[in-house]
């Protein structure tokens, strides 16, 4: 592409992945960015989101981490951050304290709207076109055309980034055989005023996972006097009708799943009259998330991991970063966008493969614990599973530094140590200066 012609890039979806893609692509010179979002207004539903070490590092990279500090008072290292407890008897299994280090998140959980607002603060006003629901895609010789529910179309674009979430229309277009299915698990979530549960004794002062053999419940006093409750239930879908996402359900539909929990939890669950139900869907791993040299998926659109690691937003950030860097490099080197997409695909695919392997491992661990000692009581089983999970091999997910790994890849390309085209080298030098 000639240097005087701007690359026309469309981002579909303005969730965490789309917003991160905007922030990263705004840093790429010679890009003409269009963003289309189905929602009429950008608002996040009331629930919390986990902020891990890698999420925090990436928020710093995007220049928005300090937006969160106003919500935290970092303590002296003695404030409780997160506990794991046995859900049936309340016994403490593990506890961690809040970090005092500004390079790590103070709290491991915040309301989702705060994440969204922080990301939005770095996005120019008016860039996101709202009420633009993508319904179809047309590929032409001169680019990709997006067709919307309102009857309009936009394009042609040189690159379309599908950041349109778990039910991605972009994915359905590019990979029509990929199907989602209900995982058999449903989450109920709600945020209520903290004073509504203040009378209940023994509520932990920080985030707490309450585990039983089959399910868990999460309680969390948020700042601004709010209190979050998130639960998981195993619910078979006999009618095949589970499609809900954020549907309001009455208390009676929720509490019955948790009668075996300790009194503290039962009292907490009894407080909200209404809950939001999230039937959890997932899908198999896509080996490739690019199509036709001009379409790339990211975030939940690319890999619907259903919140399994509590880090899906960060996976989407990492995708957006790598994609923007690969495209930046192509523009600097005058190589094709199709090649940049291939590099993006090849860089991210092994990471996602490893994540899916961890998921398989979770199921294996539970089976292993069961088979090692069939005599294990439910309480012992819970303790063993939690301890194994804590000691388990997932630290690498949260410690992963995508900028470092990307730089290492570029460095080895510069040295000609891997299969990458040597023509990357000038781009590497340019990136090293501008990073
Ligand atoms: C129960 C649960 C708990 C979770 N907990 C955590 C957690 O603690 N920490 C964490 O990091 N992650 C968590 N996740 C995962 C996290 O929510 C997602 O991974 C993350 O939101 C993915 O961001 P995204 O931008 O890819 O998709 P989304 O957040 O789904 O955003 C997609 C955007 O695209 C828009 N859109 C959809 N279709 C169209 C269309 N056709 N045209 C135009 N726009 C469209 C949507 O309106 C939306 O704004 C959890 C997920 C679940 C299910």
């Amino acid at each position: 592409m000639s240097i005087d012609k701007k690359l026309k890039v469309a981002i579909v979806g303005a969730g965490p992945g789309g917003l991160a893609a905007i922030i990263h692509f705004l840093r790429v010179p010679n890009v003409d960015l269009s963003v289309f979002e189905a929602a009429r207004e950008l608002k996040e539903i009331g629930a919390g989101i986990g902020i891990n070490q890698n999420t925090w590092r990436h928020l710093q990279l995007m220049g928005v981490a300090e937006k969160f500090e106003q919500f935290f008072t970092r303590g002296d290292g003695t404030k409780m951050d997160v506990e794991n407890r046995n859900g049936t008897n309340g016994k403490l299994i593990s506890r961690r304290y809040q970090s005092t280090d500004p390079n790590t998140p103070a709290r491991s959980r915040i309301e989702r709207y705060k994440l969204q607002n922080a990301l939005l603060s770095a996005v120019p006003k008016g860039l996101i076109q709202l009420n633009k629901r993508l319904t179809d895609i047309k590929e032409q010789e001169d680019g990709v055309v997006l067709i919307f529910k309102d009857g309009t179309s936009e394009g042609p674009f040189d690159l379309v980034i599908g950041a349109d979430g778990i039910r991605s229309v972009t994915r359905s277009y590019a990979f029509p055989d990929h199907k989602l299915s209900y995982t058999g698990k449903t989450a109920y979530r709600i945020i209520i005023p903290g004073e509504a549960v203040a009378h209940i004794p023994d509520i932990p002062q920080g985030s707490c996972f309450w585990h039983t053999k089959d399910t868990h419940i999460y309680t969390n006093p948020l700042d601004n006097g709010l209190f979050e409750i998130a639960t998981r239930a195993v619910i078979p879908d006999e009618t095949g009708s589970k499609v809900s996402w954020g549907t309001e359900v009455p208390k009676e539909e929720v509490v019955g799943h948790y009668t075996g929990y300790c009194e503290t939890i039962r009292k907490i669950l009894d407080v909200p009259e209404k809950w939001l139900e999230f039937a959890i869907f997932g899908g198999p791993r896509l080996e490739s998330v690019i199509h036709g040299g001009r379409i790339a998926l990211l975030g939940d659109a690319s890999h619907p991991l259903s919140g399994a690691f509590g880090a899906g937003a960060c996976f989407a950030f990492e995708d957006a970063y790598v994609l923007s860097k690969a495209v930046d490099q192509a523009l600097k080197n005058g190589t094709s966008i199709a090649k940049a997409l291939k590099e993006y695909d090849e860089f991210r695919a092994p990471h996602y493969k490893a994540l899916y392997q961890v998921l398989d491992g979770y199921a294996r661990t539970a089976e292993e614990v069961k088979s090692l000692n069939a005599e294990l009581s439910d309480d012992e089983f819970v303790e063993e599973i939690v301890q194994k999970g804590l000691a388990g091999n997932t630290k690498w997910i949260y410690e992963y530094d995508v900028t470092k790994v990307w730089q290492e890849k570029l460095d080895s390309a510069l040295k000609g140590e891997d299969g990458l085209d040597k023509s990357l080298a000038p781009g590497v030098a340019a990136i090293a200066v501008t990073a």
Side-chain angles (χ1 to χ4, degrees):
M1 147 157 319
S2 75
I3 200 87
D4 49 345
K5 184 176 175 281
K6 285 196 167 188
L7 186 82
K8 283 177 71 78
V9 177
I11 297 172
V12 183
L19 294 172
I22 298 172
I23 294 169
H24 285 309
F25 272 86
L26 283 172
R27 296 175 180 183
V28 180
N30 272 323
V31 164
D32 178 11
L33 207 54
S34 304
V35 187
F36 306 103
E37 162 60 45
R40 279 170 200 275
E41 57 174 320
L42 287 173
K43 62 170 199 269
E44 255 299 347
I45 41 116
I49 191 159
I51 301 287
N52 300 295
Q53 175 61 50
N54 56 340
T55 319
W56 188 253
R57 198 186 300 118
H58 212 105
L59 290 167
Q60 287 180 317
L61 175 70
M62 292 189 285
V64 299
E66 72 276 10
K67 296 273 168 202
F68 294 91
E69 293 290 347
Q70 59 182 304
F71 302 118
F72 306 130
T73 38
R74 287 183 186 270
D76 59 359
T78 58
K79 274 182 155 182
M80 212 261 272
D81 181 16
V82 62
E83 287 183 349
N84 282 285
R85 287 179 179 268
N86 179 312
T88 40
N89 59 24
K91 192 181 149 215
L92 182 68
I93 302 175
S94 77
R95 175 181 290 160
R96 199 176 67 203
Y97 292 92
Q98 279 186 34
S99 163
T100 54
D101 175 1
N103 285 318
T104 57
R107 294 285 309 269
S108 49
R109 206 157 176 97
I110 51 155
E111 296 98 312
R112 295 175 78 101
Y113 79 85
K114 288 179 184 161
L115 176 68
Q116 171 142 334
N117 286 350
L119 295 169
L120 270 173
S121 71
V123 174
K125 286 213 170 7
L127 177 62
I128 302 170
Q129 299 185 47
L130 297 171
N131 206 7
K132 283 288 191 188
R133 179 171 291 281
L134 180 76
T135 50
D136 204 0
I137 292 177
K138 209 163 78 189
E139 285 173 275
Q140 306 175 168
E141 207 168 308
D142 57 350
V144 182
V145 173
L146 302 177
I147 298 155
F148 298 95
K149 195 175 170 205
D150 62 8
T152 61
S153 62
E154 299 275 353
F157 293 101
D158 304 310
L159 169 61
V160 168
I161 301 170
D164 46 348
I166 186 162
R167 296 180 190 280
S168 167
V169 170
T170 321
R171 185 197 324 114
S172 302
Y173 168 81
F175 303 100
D177 294 337
H178 185 271
K179 295 278 178 271
L180 295 176
S181 55
Y182 173 57
T183 57
K185 293 204 175 101
T186 293
Y188 297 104
R189 320 178 105 196
I190 200 76
I191 290 180
I192 54 173
E195 63 198 27
V197 291
H199 63 285
I200 302 170
D202 302 329
I203 295 185
Q205 295 307 302
S207 311
C208 184
F209 289 94
W210 306 74
H211 304 265
T212 64
K213 207 160 133 281
D214 305 308
T215 60
H216 70 259
I217 290 176
Y218 179 82
T219 57
N220 188 24
L222 293 160
D223 50 272
N224 298 345
L226 297 172
F227 190 81
E228 174 192 11
I229 319 165
T231 76
R232 284 281 201 285
V234 180
I235 307 178
D237 182 18
E238 276 115 13
T239 58
S241 61
K242 282 264 183 229
V243 288
S244 68
W245 188 249
T247 312
E248 206 171 82
V249 292
K251 171 161 82 180
E252 295 67 40
E253 273 192 38
V254 179
V255 291
H257 297 292
Y258 307 104
T259 50
Y261 274 75
C262 61
E263 198 184 354
T264 305
I265 282 294
R266 281 186 280 121
K267 282 188 168 160
I268 293 172
L269 298 192
D270 198 45
V271 172
E273 290 300 323
K274 291 197 166 64
W275 291 75
L276 294 175
E277 182 191 78
F278 299 86
I280 301 175
F281 281 71
R285 184 176 68 89
L286 280 169
E287 292 206 2
S288 166
V289 298
I290 58 171
H291 169 90
R294 283 172 171 154
I295 297 176
L297 305 176
L298 64 73
D300 279 11
S302 66
H303 293 287
L305 278 160
S306 319
F309 302 102
C314 191
F315 302 151
F317 298 167
E318 291 166 355
D319 290 343
Y321 173 82
V322 174
L323 185 57
S324 73
K325 287 291 178 191
V327 168
D328 188 24
Q329 196 171 258
L331 292 176
K332 282 179 175 130
N333 293 327
T335 51
S336 73
I337 292 305
K339 184 167 176 289
L341 296 198
K342 197 157 170 283
E343 262 148 31
Y344 162 67
D345 213 21
E346 285 172 359
F347 190 92
R348 290 300 283 161
H351 194 69
Y352 277 109
K353 188 171 181 186
L355 291 173
Y356 275 82
Q357 277 166 351
V358 173
L359 278 189
D360 294 345
Y362 282 160
R364 272 202 309 276
T365 305
E367 285 311 310
E368 200 183 287
V369 171
K370 265 183 212 150
S371 69
L372 278 179
N373 193 345
E375 307 292 300
L376 229 51
S377 71
D378 285 358
D379 288 344
E380 288 164 337
F381 175 81
V382 164
E383 174 125 13
E384 188 112 342
I385 281 288
V386 172
Q387 295 292 9
K388 264 191 185 287
L390 291 171
N393 203 14
T394 53
K395 256 175 94 181
W396 62 271
I397 298 172
Y398 309 107
E399 286 173 355
Y400 181 75
D401 183 347
V402 70
T403 59
K404 200 164 146 235
V405 184
W406 177 254
Q407 192 57 50
E408 282 165 6
K409 173 110 178 147
L410 294 178
D411 291 346
S412 69
L414 192 61
K415 288 190 212 133
E417 281 169 9
D418 67 14
L420 282 181
D421 192 325
K422 288 273 188 51
S423 68
L424 282 174
V428 172
I431 285 164
V433 172
T434 55

